[in-house]
Amino acid sequence: MANYPYLTVVGASNASLGQAGGQLIQDGDTATYVGPFVAITALSTCVFDFSESEMGFITGMDPLAVDFTLRAGLTIYGRFEEVTLASGDAILYKG
C-alpha cells in the first residue's frame, strides 16, 4: 500500500482497494510505471512485463515469470511494484 502514516481502518481498507488513484496506460506506451499498484484492469487484451515484480502470489505461476497476458475485462489483484505494458490498454490502481 501507499505510505500513509495514520490511516483509520476504513482508510486502510480504501487504500487496499485502489482508492489512492489510478493510472491509465494505453497501447504503445512502453514506460515503466512505479507503484505499488494493488489491482490491474485490462481494458483490452494486454501483455505485461512483470520482470521487476514478484508474481509468486499467483498459484500455479512461475514466480520469475516475465510476461503475463490478461484478457479484456479482467482484473487481477496483488502487489505490483513496477509494471510495463507490452501491448493493450489497462488501468493500474494505486494502493
Side-chain angles (χ1 to χ4, degrees):
M1 273 190 268
N3 187 11
Y4 301 110
Y6 303 103
L7 286 179
T8 64
V9 172
V10 172
S13 179
N14 288 344
S16 71
L17 294 172
Q19 293 186 14
Q23 174 69 52
L24 173 66
I25 52 176
Q26 297 180 304
D27 199 17
D29 183 348
T30 58
T32 296
Y33 290 89
V34 178
F37 300 104
V38 296
I40 299 173
T41 298
L43 302 176
S44 62
T45 298
C46 297
V47 177
F48 295 94
D49 175 0
F50 287 123
S51 59
E52 298 300 320
S53 291
E54 171 62 45
M55 296 298 288
F57 63 87
I58 298 178
T59 303
M61 184 170 180
D62 179 355
L64 301 177
V66 174
D67 291 334
F68 183 80
T69 300
L70 187 61
R71 292 188 313 189
L74 297 179
T75 300
I76 57 172
Y77 300 91
R79 184 168 179 87
F80 308 96
E81 297 297 331
E82 292 187 7
V83 177
T84 304
L85 183 68
S87 65
D89 304 304
I91 299 174
L92 310 175
Y93 294 95
K94 298 176 184 177

